[in-house]
Amino acid sequence: MTISADHTAPDQASKAPVEDALSEAAKKFGITAEDYMLPARHQIQMVDPDGRLKPEGEQGTEPGHEYPLPGDDELMAAYEQLVVGRRVNDQNSALVRQGRMAVYPSSHGQEACQVAAALCLSEGDWMFPTYRDAVAVMARGVDPVQAMTIFRGDWHSGFDPHEHKVGIQCTPLTTQLLHAVGVAHAAKLRGESTVVLAMCGDGATSEGDFHEALNFAAVFHLPVIFFVQNNKYAISVPLSHQSVAPSLAHKAVGYGMAGERVDGNDVVALLAVLDRAVKLAREGSGPLLVEANTYRMQAHTNADDDTRYRENSEVAEWRAKDPVNRMRTYLTDRGLLDDDVESRTLEKAEAVATQLRDGLSEDVPVDPQELFRHVFAKPTPQLKEQSAMLADELARDASSQNSGSQEAGK
Amino acid sequence: MSPTVTTSSEANGNVSAATARAAASAAATAEAAGPQPVTMAKALNTALADAMHADPSVLVFGEDVGMLGGVFRITDGLTATFGEQRCFDTPLAESGIVGMAVGMAINGMRPVIEMQFDAFAYPAFEQIVSHVAKMHNRTKGAVKLPMVIRVPYAGGIGGVEHHCDSSESYYAHTAGLKVFTPATVADAYRMLREAIDSDDPVMFMEPKKLYWSKDQVDLDELRSQHSANAKAGKSSEGRAAVARPGTDATLIAYGPSVPTALAAAEAAAAEGRSLEVIDVRTIVPFDDETVSASVRKTGRAVVIAEAHGFASVSSEIVARVQERCFHHLAAPIRRVTGFDIPYPAPKLEKYYLPGVDRILDAVDDLQWEN
Ligand SMILES: Cc1ncc(C[n+]2csc(CCOP(=O)(O)OP(=O)(O)O)c2C)c(N)n1
Ligand SMILES: [Mg+2]
């Protein structure tokens, strides 16, 4: 289906053309389709870095880009997840330092994005995360230790994507965005009201698949939310080398979808924007692109040395905008958070950290025969032969334990 | 060979030519002391710097190759020395990197581009297969693409998925691409310089597990050798090396598998068996002569590669040796390769990688009783 009406395929003639659906959405807000697609002039920010609720006129909202404050229950749930997420990040980084995990791309500083991405979705919805989104994956309900399997190194993915409707954490950049589009397309064909949230970083928006995914989602008018965590760096490369567009959210209009940018360290604003995006997508207004303005507080991974390409002062500036502290202040001032709730929250976070320590400290026994078991639904004759060869090798190894060499290749 | 271009360091004002020369000669003096322990990473880095000094049309670009110096530090210092116009970061898009390099090569440049990891070159596959490999043929040689695509490849470093692929067979299978893969520090320097000098596109496959391996080499001498060879129009392209002479059987290996083959030959020697090790060096063009001569001499052969065995470089080598040496063979040629499975997670890679014992098992199977 294309936006131009004279290209409408005969079998689709009965369905509303995308153009109409877009203007339908715009009409809801009493603005033009163009104003619906273009992001508001400023990012949406509800709680400032000091934890103060901004006056309504200063939240960056505009006609058609209005966002109600999320309810107290949602905010409290978000706070709990923020504290857990921070603890998870720091525990995992510690486990890497102790040699318990090979690598961990931490989302320290981006926890508000992680939490909002999980909380905005309903049970039947899907999420397609990246390598950096472990906290979002856990907030979506995936077992923390299973989520870390990929970094513990005993298998590629430790969880079943179908169980929680969470895609495998994806490393080849933006390839998963098209899978998100496909899941949404299938859901539409199956008559399901699934919304799909697809995540990527700022650097990744340069990849071809990013653009293909946005275009497919727009052309097929699918309920996909593209959630870009703009943390300012792709390993060492700053955003200015990726894009000279006014913002990443502005890329939406080129594909015929709505874009919005939001303070990525303000979980209140994130929830407001994402909740509305999910609602619009579910109501049939097509895909949306949400850019969260945040910062990667730590090196890309433990293998990276960020002092080679950025100033400490820049990191310090962002430390003052911390998403967890900001929310703590805000909720405390609102009277929603007291010492009791705080200590219960910390306990919960500590329980998850303990779970991670225990789960990742045990030396997981690996079964070499697993190598051949999952390549196909049924192993081919060739794989059976290779598996027998390895079994034979290992048996001979075991019987000559004390006499032979312990060469790593066996 | 290469036209004069205006993007030299003088033109963009980032660094004066004098400074660059001073840096080069400082490096040269430091290395003039004769053979020293040098890593493969350092040899590659030096080769890039030397090539950029030698020819202003040589450009380096890719992901994180600028200020960071590459995730493996192979391009370390190049932006500081040559300026941001000659060594720079691109937007994060491999197809874009390769496609832009094609255009630059059409217009007088010699791009040397980096794919960050083996599996991250796949978005560029279309550009590589449909254009890099075919341009010369389509235009009957009117358009040459003197470009090098550097790919850190293969495993053995405990990397998570998508960081350990042995992707050489895809490229070797594509007509129109040269495929080089060094196994020693000296070859890393020599072959990268030759790849950059080549008017054909070269896939330069760097065994990432060998980046930090050290050999005693004299970079200064390698540099002068290269200049002399280049002047004389000589190149080691298409020549395999006898990495260790032997008489009883031939181990044929390339890139990351060469040190493993050498270790196996060493172990076999202790058991009284003399194994010759051939380092293929350039997969395309392939040195049938050296490989066949060795197998004809020994009468037995094992081909070793980390990549999956099925439809691979190792199967091609077996086929060629069989066609050329059939009547000299005392036993079927054996292969020791990775299994036909996706590269395993870190804790399982030791079961996948060809190791010394597996190679010795294969050697034992070469029908010695006859
Ligand atoms: C196709 C592809 N190319 C290169 C890489 C290597 N790589 C991994 S993460 C990364 C940077 C990504 O930056 P960004 O999208 O901003 O996400 P962030 O890491 O900041 O969360 C790169 C280049 C990759 N994983 N996939
Ligand atoms: Mg980023």
Side-chain angles (χ1 to χ4, degrees):
Chain A
M1 200 189 315
T2 69
I3 291 186
S4 144
D6 50 336
H7 285 117
T8 306
D11 63 331
Q12 290 168 334
S14 58
K15 297 180 193 165
V18 170
E19 196 179 20
D20 288 357
L22 259 181
S23 37
E24 269 311 299
K27 235 184 279 162
K28 263 187 230 168
F29 302 109
I31 52 176
T32 65
E34 205 175 39
D35 283 342
Y36 171 70
M37 291 189 281
L38 277 170
R41 296 196 47 182
H42 301 283
Q43 68 170 0
I44 307 300
Q45 185 191 61
M46 295 183 152
V47 175
D48 73 13
D50 297 327
R52 279 185 300 259
L53 185 69
K54 297 189 83 172
E56 251 181 55
E58 293 170 25
Q59 292 180 355
T61 53
E62 284 171 15
H65 297 259
E66 286 132 343
Y67 297 97
L69 200 67
D72 292 351
D73 288 349
E74 194 179 6
L75 294 182
M76 290 306 287
Y79 179 70
E80 182 179 307
Q81 289 297 328
L82 275 180
V83 174
V84 172
R86 173 61 53 84
R87 189 72 188 91
V88 164
N89 274 328
D90 294 347
Q91 179 62 74
N92 285 340
S93 296
L95 288 167
V96 170
R97 286 193 296 275
Q98 295 157 17
R100 281 288 153 198
M101 256 193 299
V103 67
Y104 179 67
S106 176
S107 63
H108 185 116
Q110 299 174 221
E111 289 91 348
C113 297
Q114 298 285 304
V115 167
L119 293 191
C120 70
L121 297 176
S122 301
E123 206 173 312
D125 296 338
W126 272 84
M127 168 191 281
F128 279 84
T130 75
Y131 51 90
R132 199 178 298 288
D133 300 319
V135 167
V137 168
M138 293 176 201
R140 194 63 190 135
V142 174
D143 174 78
V145 177
Q146 283 184 8
M148 296 323 295
T149 298
I150 181 173
F151 301 122
R152 180 170 64 182
D154 47 304
W155 204 258
H156 307 293
S157 173
F159 60 90
D160 170 4
H162 282 291
E163 192 183 336
H164 295 279
K165 300 204 179 338
V166 175
I168 167 170
Q169 281 186 261
C170 187
T171 301
L173 298 168
T174 64
T175 51
Q176 78 281 13
L177 303 185
L178 284 153
H179 309 163
V181 169
V183 164
H185 201 162
K188 187 174 167 182
L189 297 178
R190 289 157 60 102
E192 298 158 356
S193 67
T194 311
V195 169
V196 184
L197 183 110
M199 305 169 81
C200 74
D202 49 314
T205 63
S206 296
E207 288 281 6
D209 277 6
F210 173 80
H211 301 273
E212 294 182 21
L214 263 63
N215 194 44
F216 271 51
V219 166
F220 290 111
H221 201 62
L222 300 171
V224 182
I225 293 153
F226 296 95
F227 183 51
V228 179
Q229 288 169 81
N230 173 2
N231 64 6
K232 309 299 179 283
Y233 288 92
I235 310 185
S236 72
V237 181
L239 179 65
S240 57
H241 279 53
Q242 302 294 348
S243 173
V244 292
S247 80
L248 297 175
H250 277 82
K251 292 180 188 272
V253 65
Y255 297 102
M257 70 170 78
E260 197 73 280
R261 48 198 156 152
V262 51
D263 181 343
N265 286 12
D266 174 6
V267 78
V268 181
L270 278 160
L271 284 170
V273 169
L274 286 172
D275 283 348
R276 189 182 88 156
V278 169
K279 184 167 175 287
L280 284 171
R282 208 181 307 282
E283 287 168 1
S285 303
L288 298 100
L289 171 64
V290 176
E291 173 191 1
N293 174 21
T294 181
Y295 194 76
R296 197 194 74 210
M297 292 300 292
Q298 298 178 343
H300 174 69
T301 67
N302 47 299
D304 176 37
D305 173 9
D306 62 333
T307 61
R308 286 177 74 104
Y309 53 82
R310 67 180 182 186
E311 299 293 333
N312 270 335
S313 56
E314 187 186 280
V315 182
E317 241 173 73
W318 277 89
R319 193 162 295 124
K321 302 179 191 172
D322 185 80
V324 187
N325 292 341
R326 183 188 308 202
M327 194 59 175
R328 184 178 298 121
T329 308
Y330 170 65
L331 293 176
T332 307
D333 289 353
R334 290 259 328 261
L336 291 167
L337 185 64
D338 56 22
D339 289 350
D340 247 21
V341 183
E342 176 72 5
S343 66
R344 259 183 284 134
T345 310
L346 289 174
E347 263 167 42
K348 274 191 187 140
E350 209 39 53
V352 178
T354 306
Q355 208 182 338
L356 282 166
R357 275 196 309 273
D358 293 348
L360 296 167
S361 295
E362 78 197 35
D363 247 329
V364 215
V366 288
D367 175 4
Q369 287 303 330
E370 288 264 281
L371 290 175
F372 306 98
R373 239 167 243 152
H374 313 288
V375 182
F376 298 108
K378 236 173 78 189
T380 59
Q382 288 73 29
L383 285 180
K384 281 187 191 154
E385 199 179 286
Q386 293 173 17
S387 127
M389 183 202 124
L390 179 62
D392 173 57
E393 249 184 27
L394 294 172
R396 280 185 289 133
D397 254 13
S399 67
S400 64
Q401 258 315 309
N402 308 321
S403 53
S405 79
Q406 302 298 309
E407 213 282 317
K410 286 296 291 261
Chain B
M1 191 172 63
S2 354
T4 316
V5 292
T6 51
T7 54
S8 68
S9 45
E10 293 107 295
N12 65 46
N14 279 309
V15 62
S16 79
T19 319
R21 271 193 300 274
S25 67
T29 347
E31 287 146 9
Q36 293 189 3
V38 176
T39 61
M40 185 180 279
K42 175 68 186 161
L44 292 166
N45 177 256
T46 309
L48 289 172
D50 289 354
M52 292 175 85
H53 276 299
D55 180 351
S57 69
V58 174
L59 304 175
V60 170
F61 55 92
E63 293 157 9
D64 302 287
V65 299
M67 180 128 56
L68 186 66
V71 294
F72 292 108
R73 304 292 185 265
I74 308 301
T75 59
D76 195 19
L78 298 181
T79 300
T81 306
F82 299 98
E84 279 179 11
Q85 300 207 24
R86 293 195 58 199
C87 175
F88 57 89
D89 292 325
T90 63
L92 212 179
E94 295 76 13
S95 180
I97 294 166
V98 175
M100 185 167 81
V102 168
M104 286 182 135
I106 289 174
N107 201 10
M109 300 295 183
R110 281 185 183 265
V112 184
I113 56 182
E114 177 173 301
M115 300 283 103
Q116 197 159 80
F117 281 86
D118 31 65
F120 304 145
Y122 301 148
F125 203 65
E126 163 78 0
Q127 288 288 346
I128 295 174
V129 172
S130 297
H131 297 296
V132 176
K134 292 178 181 163
M135 192 67 81
H136 193 275
N137 189 58
R138 283 151 84 204
T139 63
K140 294 192 171 174
V143 176
K144 299 197 188 332
L145 295 181
M147 56 188 276
V148 178
I149 305 180
R150 297 182 34 247
V151 186
Y153 83 116
I157 58 158
V160 292
E161 56 173 359
H162 313 298
H163 291 76
C164 299
D165 281 14
S166 288
S167 48
E168 69 274 18
S169 299
Y170 304 127
Y171 306 120
H173 187 71
T174 302
L177 297 174
K178 287 182 172 164
V179 183
F180 293 8
T181 182
T184 67
V185 173
D187 260 353
Y189 180 90
R190 200 179 286 135
M191 292 167 69
L192 184 51
R193 293 295 309 268
E194 291 175 355
I196 296 170
D197 286 351
S198 168
D199 279 344
D200 293 315
V202 177
M203 298 300 302
F204 197 83
M205 311 298 291
E206 301 171 1
K208 65 173 86 74
K209 80 165 185 203
L210 300 183
Y211 273 148
W212 309 113
S213 69
K214 280 184 189 164
D215 289 341
Q216 289 286 331
V217 301
D218 184 343
L219 284 171
D220 208 31
E221 195 188 312
L222 284 173
R223 188 179 291 122
S224 359
Q225 266 173 16
H226 175 79
S227 307
N229 285 344
K231 244 181 231 138
K234 286 198 292 190
S235 162
S236 72
E237 175 187 312
R239 278 199 279 123
V242 179
R244 177 188 171 111
T247 51
D248 297 341
T250 303
L251 304 182
I252 304 163
Y254 58 84
S257 300
V258 173
T260 321
L262 287 169
E266 187 68 29
E271 294 168 10
R273 220 165 243 166
S274 164
L275 304 184
E276 180 149 300
V277 177
I278 301 289
D279 172 0
V280 170
R281 298 179 74 252
T282 67
I283 296 171
V284 182
F286 188 77
D287 185 355
D288 283 312
E289 209 179 298
T290 303
V291 172
S292 302
S294 173
V295 178
R296 283 196 201 108
K297 179 180 78 177
T298 63
R300 290 178 168 86
V302 176
V303 182
I304 302 146
E306 251 188 52
H308 325 302
F310 200 87
S312 67
V313 170
S314 67
S315 31
E316 175 65 22
I317 296 175
V318 172
R320 306 185 77 78
V321 172
Q322 185 273 135
E323 283 164 353
R324 285 164 180 75
C325 310
F326 183 77
H327 294 293
H328 299 264
L329 288 171
I333 304 161
R334 287 289 314 270
R335 277 192 293 163
V336 179
T337 68
F339 299 120
D340 296 320
I341 60 172
Y343 194 87
K347 287 191 176 159
L348 285 155
E349 75 177 352
K350 63 171 183 256
Y351 301 106
Y352 171 91
L353 292 169
V356 168
D357 288 354
R358 206 171 277 166
I359 295 170
L360 293 179
D361 281 353
V363 171
D364 282 345
D365 276 355
L366 295 173
Q367 304 186 3
W368 296 95
E369 63 284 0
N370 298 350

